[in-house]
Amino acid sequence: MARSSSRIGDEDTQELQGGGEKREPSRRERRQGSGPLRRLRTPEALALLLALVSLVILVPLRGVLSAVPALPFLATLALFLIPGLLISRLAPDESFSGAGRLPVAFALGTGVFGLAALPFLILHRSFDEYLLTGGTILAVCLVLAALRVFGGETSGEYADDAPEDGTGTRIIWAPLLAFGAVLAYASSRVVPEPNEDHWAYLAYVQEYLNSERLGLINPFYGTEQPGFSRLMLNGWLAIQAAFSWVSGIDPTDLASAYLAPALVLFSLLAFYWLARILFENEGAALLAGALYGLFLLFYLDATPASFGGDLVRRVVEDKFAARYIMLPVALGLAALYLKKRGWLRLGMFAFVFWATGAVHPMVLGILGLGVAALGAVHLAANLRDRNAWTGVLALGAVVFLTLVPPAIYLVVSGSALLSKLSALDPALVENRLNTWQDQKRLLILGEGSYIMHLSLVFNPVIAGAYLIGVPFLIWRAKRSLAAQMLLGLLLFFAALVYIPPVASFAGQFVRPWLIYRLAWPIPLAALLTVGWMSWELLGYASRRFGGASLRGAAPLIALILVVLLASAAAPRALAGIRTIDSVDEAPQENTSCVDPAFDWMRETVDSRSVVLAPTLENSCVPAYSSLANVVGYRAQFLEENASGETDPEGQSGSSRKARAVQDFFEATTVSSAMIETLQNYEVDYVLLPADSPLNVQLGHLPGFTALDTPGGRYRFYAVNRDELAVTQTVAGNDALQGEVPSSAIEAYNAALSGDANEVALAYMGLGLAYETLESPLDAAAVYEEAVAQAPEESALYVLLSGAYRDAEESSLAVQALESGVDRLPKDTGLRTELTSLLMFEDAGAAVEVQRGVVERFPEVPSYRVKLGTVLAMSGDEAAADQQFEAAISQNPLSPELLTDVALANQIAGRDGESLEYYERALELEPDSPQYNLSVGNAYAERATGEDRSEEGFQRAEEYLKRAAELEPQPGRTDVRATAWSSLGDLYAEWDRRDQAIAAYEKALEINPDLSPAQQGLDELRQE
């Protein structure tokens, strides 16, 4: 199929030197004609026109078009692509023609502007200097383009025609672009969770935009970076900052609403371009690209190991931009060089290879291994071909000279980048390993032995690529470079992540929980293989069975095939889109980095300040404001890393900071130690959730000023540290936190003689003290006074209601919350609390309260689940089912949501419906011990009740045994002992005494304090 490398190389050399026979003009060349008119139709002229239009949009029309940010973004993107478009024009062939030119131009542009940023990051120069350098580069490119257009006769070689495989293949663009548009839409709807890398990177982008010295200041703490950091070699963040500055779009909006959709489209085009280079067939490339897009849509959900979910959720991050765009483009350039040779092609590969390192070094290593795998198989198939050896050695020289010298330097110099790998606390390592195994990214085989999780190769498409595709590739490997590359990628990376000694060895360098990244080329190669095989099969079928009438009908058949597959995959794809889209609106009580309070904070914090915020919100604050620093960041990591080592950002004392932040926000009242925390860390602002009882404290203590914060999720307080003082109520709070309620009551009573602020806090403190002394009616009495003093504080209504509940005065508890809802009608937390209280007292009234919550937040599934619960309890089961299904439709691939619905039905006494939803959750996560236990208990209840049957017993036994034998999942309760105890109860009810005793004993071996198991065992032994 492909020409030999030596013959291609000779022809290419002749072309570059101007020798060889004069080639025939292409169709586009004949259509364009010659002379000045032809020069004005060249890509160089198009680049000049794009630049002119873009500059008009960005300069004179900037203010006019600010209401339509998509246009400034597209103008900025066009300017970014121009250097890459012009560099790709240097290639003397049609490999970069058509839409395939765009991803190559993007990769080359990333190299131009990303590599240009490195000196400024390493030397800590200003962002203005980087912008000036980028503008100079662009201006030089435009001047050169103008010289080529207007400076005389242009070259006769234009690479603007797509491979001439027939116009029929163009119809396959329709599904490819449709799938890309859907994926791009999904990426624009994603809201990353707090603490994800997305917000950390945005914090650096914000810092670059406002920093006098690039790469010097840590955006979270406002301190200088301690020594060399990997981010000093990350040109991708500088590119994002430049995009934001040129377009005028804030980085948070730019990343999610504009850059992410564009990168998704570029990733599909990069896959298509690589397929076109490998297969040298437009139809095969388009079919492979369409199948790739469909594959991503089918596996589009929010789970960590999903394929499409990874793309749409994280493509803006450096490592994923490198994975989905830079990696396929670089592999395509390597293949192109081996096919056609030429120093220009080798230079373009080297440049994109270096550019990948400026985006993320780990993907650079993966790319180097991929090139090595290609070279090994290519040489194995062409052992006696001298040109094959020279081509592979040239690529190897690029890889070697790029990777080896820096690696030697890091080892010899004892760089902190390497020492951090061995400085991690063993408990942290174990937690990370278990977490990644739970997320189906890692499989732990034993002490220090692990491989990539088998879920990757168990995927039907990827498994098919190995079972059918590998023999297909071996059959073609001798004469096809495409087969050589795909075979090398599939076999080499599978060996790298699935042979235990190899995977464990690699884990020592990349960290064990990151070896799943080494498998990134496998899905790429697998989908290319499947697309190629599908095209070949369709072509064979049309020739073999269609006769002359269907000869050449492969594109039409391919389109029909893709449409049929899309129809079959549509329900799953739509479910994935709903799951991605459902995170757009989070419950008011949950943390959300897209709350309007953070955007408002950007304008409010006008000087370098320290914000004390809860752990999760700490990741959001610096992403919106470069002037707002936080006290702690990623406290979970810091708490686990108790060995005294520095945190990922190089800050010492991080564990102490994390503990101070945690203690502050877990408190109910402000103590002198908390005031000392504010002083020690020079806190200027405090961010509190709206439902925190600390709002009562900060709203009435001296030194705090409540600001008018938008949205109902947070409150923001300015701190005047000079006015902070240990008042009488603070002294009472100290005694209360020290568990000396009598001293606290004495201090609070003394504070009642103070001003109105002191009185309000004193009454609240008295209520908490009386609760400690188990005097709920006394607590309720003083809470009533506190509410009278501070009627705008929702936390006081909750405390008052709780005191009445403890005193078994349910009607007064309801009245307390109802008065709070009347006073604060927009407070969702109070309404939800009232629903929970009413659902067992007056289900009809609970329905009306919860319906108001759902009407205000219709896109929050948990609120609908609660409404469905109270509807079912009120007897309106049809309406309840409508709410349950409406909730699930907003996040159909969430087993947690299905479990919530199952529990809601169980509370309402609908055991059959509860079992149905538990089973649906188990289908989505079959290895969950919790879901197996829930389903097992549901069947056990049936098997021991009126529906007693042998089949029910067997189903209950099956699920309970599975729950008891599955390893506990990190971050979740170990349910093995509970499962064995439930199994013992089941056996006892079915008069299987010996089996019941054995089950109880196993439960007690795991948890000796499990009283139900001990009680059941004692009863059996006494019989």
Side-chain angles (χ1 to χ4, degrees):
M1 178 179 174
R3 294 177 293 176
S4 69
S5 57
S6 60
R7 199 173 72 195
I8 294 173
D10 292 341
E11 291 176 0
D12 183 49
T13 303
Q14 292 174 2
E15 289 180 1
L16 290 175
Q17 294 175 350
E21 296 181 4
K22 185 177 180 180
R23 70 175 180 88
E24 290 296 321
S26 67
R27 286 179 294 128
R28 178 168 295 188
E29 290 170 353
R30 292 193 296 268
R31 186 170 61 251
Q32 290 176 340
S34 60
L37 181 61
R38 180 181 176 186
R39 288 199 298 270
L40 293 176
R41 292 176 177 175
T42 62
E44 289 83 358
L46 176 61
L48 291 174
L49 179 61
L50 277 175
L52 177 62
V53 174
S54 299
L55 291 173
V56 169
I57 291 174
L58 293 170
V59 182
L61 297 181
R62 189 182 190 91
V64 177
L65 297 176
S66 60
V68 190
L71 288 178
F73 169 76
L74 291 175
T76 306
L77 180 62
L79 294 177
F80 177 80
L81 292 175
I82 284 174
L85 288 170
L86 296 177
I87 293 173
S88 67
R89 283 281 292 145
L90 299 175
D93 54 60
E94 297 179 344
S95 302
F96 305 102
S97 61
R101 187 186 296 275
L102 292 176
V104 178
F106 181 89
L108 292 169
T110 300
V112 169
F113 296 109
L115 291 171
L118 299 190
F120 299 95
L121 291 168
I122 295 172
L123 300 175
H124 304 308
R125 305 298 298 178
S126 72
F127 183 62
D128 291 341
E129 290 176 321
Y130 169 61
L131 288 176
L132 180 61
T133 301
T136 303
I137 292 172
L138 180 61
V140 170
C141 291
L142 293 176
V143 169
L144 293 175
L147 289 175
R148 181 155 185 175
V149 173
F150 302 107
E153 187 66 32
T154 60
S155 169
E157 298 184 7
Y158 294 90
D160 296 307
D161 284 327
E164 299 185 14
D165 294 320
T167 58
T169 58
R170 295 176 184 173
I171 61 175
I172 314 178
W173 273 109
L176 174 58
L177 294 178
F179 298 153
V182 175
L183 288 167
Y185 166 79
S187 70
S188 70
R189 300 295 297 167
V190 168
V191 177
E193 295 291 332
N195 251 354
E196 287 190 8
D197 289 347
H198 176 89
W199 303 108
Y201 291 135
L202 282 179
Y204 279 92
V205 174
Q206 288 281 9
E207 183 65 35
Y208 291 170
L209 281 170
N210 299 278
S211 177
E212 294 181 358
R213 301 182 67 185
L214 285 176
L216 180 64
I217 302 299
N218 183 300
F220 293 95
Y221 305 121
T223 56
E224 290 189 7
Q225 299 277 15
F228 186 79
S229 168
R230 179 185 72 81
L231 292 173
M232 294 180 189
L233 297 177
N234 191 326
W236 180 245
L237 299 181
I239 288 174
Q240 287 192 51
F243 254 90
S244 179
W245 188 90
V246 174
S247 65
I249 305 172
D250 185 79
T252 52
D253 297 328
L254 174 73
S256 298
Y258 303 101
L259 190 56
L263 295 182
V264 166
L265 291 175
F266 278 120
S267 68
L268 260 68
L269 290 175
F271 182 94
Y272 151 76
W273 181 77
L274 173 59
R276 204 178 78 184
I277 292 299
L278 292 177
F279 307 149
E280 297 181 331
N281 185 295
E282 180 78 355
L286 288 172
L287 178 59
L291 293 177
Y292 179 62
L294 184 58
F295 176 80
L296 294 173
L297 278 173
F298 188 81
Y299 293 102
L300 178 64
D301 56 60
T303 59
S306 72
F307 298 97
D310 250 2
L311 172 67
V312 302
R313 291 177 67 86
R314 307 189 65 180
V315 69
V316 176
E317 297 176 23
D318 51 5
K319 49 189 167 290
F320 288 92
R323 172 191 178 181
Y324 286 108
I325 302 175
M326 307 299 290
L327 179 63
V329 169
L331 289 174
L333 290 171
L336 186 62
Y337 171 70
L338 289 181
K339 281 174 178 284
K340 299 187 177 182
R341 298 295 193 274
W343 289 108
L344 283 174
R345 298 185 185 92
L346 180 63
M348 291 174 67
F349 164 76
F351 189 71
V352 174
F353 190 79
W354 300 331
T356 304
V359 178
H360 199 279
M362 187 170 184
V363 181
L364 177 66
I366 294 171
L367 175 56
L369 293 173
V371 172
L374 165 63
V377 180
H378 184 60
L379 290 179
N382 300 277
L383 283 175
R384 299 182 179 181
D385 190 332
R386 180 179 178 182
N387 280 322
W389 283 91
T390 57
V392 171
L393 288 175
L395 293 175
V398 171
V399 174
F400 181 88
L401 294 176
T402 304
L403 296 179
V404 175
I408 294 175
Y409 169 78
L410 292 176
V411 173
V412 172
S413 64
S415 170
L417 290 176
L418 294 180
S419 63
K420 284 182 180 181
L421 296 177
S422 59
L424 296 175
D425 184 81
L428 168 65
V429 173
E430 182 179 359
N431 180 73
R432 289 283 183 92
L433 292 176
N434 290 332
T435 300
W436 256 244
Q437 179 167 260
D438 180 38
Q439 294 181 353
K440 297 185 178 180
R441 292 179 171 179
L442 187 71
L443 188 61
I444 302 174
L445 303 178
E447 182 97 20
S449 180
Y450 30 76
I451 60 174
M452 168 76 183
H453 200 280
L454 294 173
S455 61
L456 176 67
V457 291
F458 282 167
N459 177 276
V461 177
I462 295 177
Y466 275 100
L467 295 176
I468 304 174
V470 168
F472 169 81
L473 296 174
I474 293 174
W475 174 49
R476 298 236 174 173
K478 183 63 179 176
R479 63 185 186 279
S480 170
L481 182 67
Q484 294 162 16
M485 171 177 280
L486 299 178
L487 191 62
L489 295 177
L490 287 173
L491 296 183
F492 177 83
F493 284 97
L496 183 61
V497 299
Y498 284 119
I499 296 178
V502 178
S504 302
F505 178 76
Q508 297 178 18
F509 294 93
V510 301
R511 297 186 182 183
W513 50 86
L514 296 182
I515 62 171
Y516 78 94
R517 292 183 184 173
L518 298 178
W520 280 351
I522 292 179
L524 177 71
L527 268 296
L528 285 167
T529 303
V530 170
W532 190 14
M533 289 192 302
S534 300
W535 179 261
E536 292 294 319
L537 182 62
L538 291 177
Y540 173 80
S542 63
R543 292 190 302 270
R544 177 70 175 82
F545 303 107
S549 60
L550 289 181
R551 193 174 301 277
L556 179 59
I557 301 174
L559 177 64
I560 295 172
L561 172 65
V562 172
V563 171
L564 291 175
L565 290 174
S567 300
R572 168 70 183 243
L574 290 173
I577 294 171
R578 292 295 298 166
T579 295
I580 292 292
D581 196 26
S582 67
V583 298
D584 185 48
E585 187 173 12
Q588 281 293 95
E589 59 272 18
N590 289 4
T591 299
S592 173
C593 285
V594 294
D595 191 85
F598 295 109
D599 200 35
W600 165 86
M601 191 186 305
R602 187 194 347 254
E603 304 298 329
T604 303
V605 180
D606 55 5
S607 62
R608 181 73 69 175
S609 306
V610 176
V611 179
L612 183 65
T615 299
L616 290 178
E617 282 78 357
N618 281 333
S619 63
C620 312
V621 172
Y624 284 85
S625 173
S626 64
L627 298 175
N629 302 126
V630 294
V631 175
Y633 175 58
R634 289 187 172 175
Q636 181 181 2
F637 176 90
L638 305 176
E639 286 297 307
E640 292 167 344
N641 189 13
S643 61
E645 299 294 337
T646 58
D647 74 352
E649 306 303 327
Q651 300 296 311
S652 60
S654 293
S655 295
R656 178 169 49 84
K657 289 182 178 181
R659 174 55 63 186
V661 172
Q662 185 173 343
D663 290 345
F664 190 98
F665 290 100
E666 285 181 351
T668 305
T669 57
V670 173
S671 65
S672 58
M674 294 165 66
I675 291 178
E676 185 178 352
T677 295
L678 297 173
Q679 296 283 14
N680 289 342
Y681 296 117
E682 301 181 347
V683 173
D684 300 295
Y685 298 95
V686 175
L687 179 72
L688 278 179
D691 59 355
S692 170
L694 285 178
N695 284 299
V696 184
Q697 302 282 306
L698 270 58
H700 296 83
L701 282 173
F704 299 95
T705 302
L707 304 179
D708 188 14
T709 313
R713 197 185 306 270
Y714 297 106
R715 293 191 190 178
F716 202 54
Y717 297 88
V719 180
N720 186 337
R721 294 191 298 277
D722 294 334
E723 296 182 4
L724 295 178
V726 179
T727 64
Q728 194 70 43
T729 54
V730 173
N733 295 342
D734 286 342
L736 186 62
Q737 293 185 18
E739 299 182 356
V740 188
S742 58
S743 299
I745 290 173
E746 182 180 349
Y748 292 139
N749 282 324
L752 290 175
S753 60
D755 60 16
N757 287 323
E758 278 280 277
V759 170
L761 294 179
Y763 280 129
M764 177 184 176
L766 283 171
L768 294 170
Y770 286 133
E771 282 194 67
T772 303
L773 294 172
E774 298 182 356
S775 300
L777 285 177
D778 291 333
V782 291
Y783 282 145
E784 292 279 11
E785 297 293 339
V787 168
Q789 293 290 325
E792 301 301 320
E793 300 294 348
S794 62
L796 292 177
Y797 295 100
V798 176
L799 291 171
L800 175 59
S801 178
Y804 279 129
R805 284 202 304 273
D806 292 340
E808 298 182 355
E809 297 285 350
S810 58
S811 60
L812 293 176
V814 170
Q815 289 177 18
L817 289 177
E818 287 178 337
S819 63
V821 169
D822 291 340
R823 182 77 185 189
L824 306 168
K826 294 183 179 181
D827 193 301
T828 304
L830 282 177
R831 288 179 175 271
T832 305
E833 192 80 20
L834 180 57
T835 301
S836 299
L837 190 57
L838 284 172
M839 62 191 297
F840 296 104
E841 303 290 336
D842 186 350
V847 168
E848 296 307 314
V849 173
Q850 190 62 23
R851 200 183 296 278
V853 176
V854 171
E855 288 174 355
R856 187 178 177 202
F857 298 98
E859 299 299 321
V860 179
S862 61
Y863 293 160
R864 289 192 177 274
V865 172
K866 195 151 198 172
L867 177 57
T869 305
V870 293
L871 282 168
M873 295 181 70
S874 69
D876 194 347
E877 296 190 1
D881 288 333
Q882 289 179 355
Q883 293 298 325
F884 290 144
E885 290 303 321
I888 292 171
S889 70
Q890 292 169 352
N891 198 349
L893 299 181
S894 170
E896 292 83 5
L897 178 58
L898 288 165
T899 302
D900 291 342
V901 174
L903 183 60
N905 279 280
Q906 190 173 336
I907 292 172
R910 307 173 74 202
D911 294 335
E913 289 79 0
S914 175
L915 175 59
E916 176 187 344
Y917 286 111
Y918 275 131
E919 288 181 325
R920 287 171 63 179
L922 188 61
E923 288 177 3
L924 292 174
E925 198 171 327
D927 294 329
S928 167
Q930 283 77 12
Y931 300 154
N932 278 279
L933 176 61
S934 298
V935 173
N937 282 334
Y939 274 113
E941 189 170 345
R942 282 186 169 190
T944 56
E946 295 180 359
D947 298 332
R948 187 183 182 99
S949 66
E950 181 68 28
E951 180 183 358
F953 169 83
Q954 291 176 354
R955 298 292 295 276
E957 181 184 37
E958 174 189 352
Y959 288 113
L960 290 175
K961 276 188 174 181
R962 182 168 173 78
E965 293 168 355
L966 284 169
E967 289 295 320
Q969 296 175 328
R972 299 187 182 183
T973 305
D974 185 350
V975 300
R976 292 176 299 171
T978 305
W980 281 118
S981 181
S982 297
L983 198 56
D985 294 340
L986 177 67
Y987 287 141
E989 287 289 336
W990 278 71
D991 298 326
R992 302 190 180 189
R993 184 175 181 277
D994 293 340
Q995 289 176 289
I997 290 174
Y1000 287 137
E1001 289 176 342
K1002 288 182 178 179
L1004 293 171
E1005 286 177 8
I1006 299 172
N1007 183 5
D1009 298 326
L1010 191 62
S1011 56
Q1014 187 64 59
Q1015 182 179 353
L1017 183 61
D1018 292 341
E1019 290 176 358
L1020 288 175
R1021 286 175 174 172
Q1022 290 173 3
E1023 291 179 359

